[in-house]
Amino acid sequence: MGGGIVAGKIAFVTGAGSGIGRAVCQVLAREGAKVIAADQNGIAAQETQGLLSNVWINDHISVTVDVSMAESVNMAISDVIKHYSRPPSVVVNSAGITRDNFLLKMDEKWFQKVIDVNLKGTFLVVQTAVKAMIDAKISEGSIINIASIVGKTGNIGQCNYSASKAGVEAFTKTAAKEFGQFGIRCNAVVPGFIRSPMTDAVPEKVLQKIIPFIAVRRMGKPEEVAEVIAFLASDRSSYINGASIEVTGG
């Protein structure tokens, strides 16, 4: 027996070791997918894999990947194909980092590192996975890239992060136009302030200043983003392509 909105699909999730990425793995597994938890921190990825179990499937794996390195991404996707005899048809790019500082004090290395992981990493994973999908004649693929509301609004101290996430949205729209002919959709999810290890680094008094500007008067939970991603990964969203869906609490 099998059920769930992504039953039988193979899903490759980066940034799976914590936060939104971990919640995505849990929701996709609950909805019947075979999940590859991918993270630069291999131990955290294994921990996520250990949290994934459901009544239908016990076929989840974890892989270590540095999304900013083409060789590492190629190896990870090859490992997935070896394990399942086919590439993933769902790809979620959740790997992301921050290196915050005021623009005039921003170290060039930290600017580059954030672009390399958040934007170039998304490009490398999408390029590698989609090549494999097309080679395997997969015609119902879904890619979900995680952007950020600060990519639309900007944010003090985040010139690198906001630029990388604006780039992810524009990249997503282009990918959607190029891959539509192959039956592979590409969408972006745009979270607002979500409780995660990334926001845990923000002082509580700063967060308390942000909350009054959120219509629902609270921060979001990683699962609330993951539920939207599961819908986009499923065939229920079959005509949504090139979209950016905000999950911000207004």
Side-chain angles (χ1 to χ4, degrees):
M1 108 167 225
I5 61 173
V6 288
K9 292 183 188 287
I10 297 171
F12 183 82
V13 182
T14 71
S18 66
I20 291 171
R22 175 169 280 180
V24 168
C25 291
Q26 291 173 294
V27 171
L28 290 176
R30 183 198 77 203
E31 291 296 333
K34 299 174 185 185
V35 174
I36 303 103
D39 200 283
Q40 189 175 11
N41 181 335
I43 292 164
Q46 278 177 337
E47 284 169 2
T48 296
Q49 181 196 355
L51 297 170
L52 307 181
S53 56
N54 59 38
V55 290
W56 310 301
I57 294 166
N58 201 9
D59 196 17
H60 310 298
I61 63 171
S62 64
V63 296
T64 305
V65 65
D66 177 348
V67 296
S68 68
M69 305 291 290
E71 197 179 335
S72 179
V73 172
N74 283 327
M75 203 176 294
I77 296 293
S78 297
D79 286 349
V80 171
I81 293 168
K82 271 193 206 111
H83 184 87
Y84 295 105
S85 307
R86 59 192 169 109
S89 65
V90 172
V91 174
V92 182
N93 281 296
S94 186
I97 60 167
T98 54
R99 294 290 183 272
D100 296 351
N101 211 335
F102 296 119
L103 199 157
L104 295 181
K105 294 182 175 176
M106 177 64 67
D107 187 298
E108 184 188 348
K109 285 199 301 290
W110 288 139
F111 188 92
Q112 192 61 53
K113 182 71 179 164
V114 168
I115 297 292
D116 283 348
V117 173
N118 298 5
L119 183 54
K120 188 178 94 172
T122 297
F123 155 72
L124 288 172
V125 171
V126 170
Q127 185 184 58
T128 307
V130 171
K131 276 181 182 169
M133 283 184 212
I134 291 169
D135 286 348
K137 299 191 167 43
I138 287 172
S139 62
E140 284 185 344
S142 180
I143 297 155
I144 301 103
N145 298 326
I146 301 193
S148 168
I149 196 63
V150 305
K152 292 180 186 288
T153 61
N155 197 28
I156 289 169
Q158 293 197 308
C159 64
N160 49 1
Y161 184 77
S162 58
S164 73
K165 293 301 194 176
V168 165
E169 279 198 80
F171 171 83
T172 298
K173 288 180 168 60
T174 298
K177 285 180 159 62
E178 292 191 14
F179 302 149
Q181 61 182 312
F182 302 109
I184 297 166
R185 298 180 292 114
C186 189
N187 292 292
V189 169
V190 184
F193 287 91
I194 308 296
R195 287 264 176 211
S196 70
M198 206 176 264
T199 58
D200 290 345
V202 179
E204 192 60 36
K205 64 175 192 285
V206 176
L207 294 179
Q208 291 311 319
K209 286 195 176 115
I210 291 165
I211 286 168
F213 293 99
I214 302 170
V216 298
R217 296 293 189 275
R218 65 174 177 84
M219 292 177 71
K221 300 193 286 278
E223 309 78 70
E224 293 177 301
V225 182
E227 294 288 357
V228 177
I229 290 168
F231 168 68
L232 290 172
S234 79
D235 300 335
R236 294 184 185 183
S237 59
S238 52
Y239 204 58
I240 300 177
N241 189 32
S244 292
I245 298 182
E246 293 187 12
V247 187
T248 65

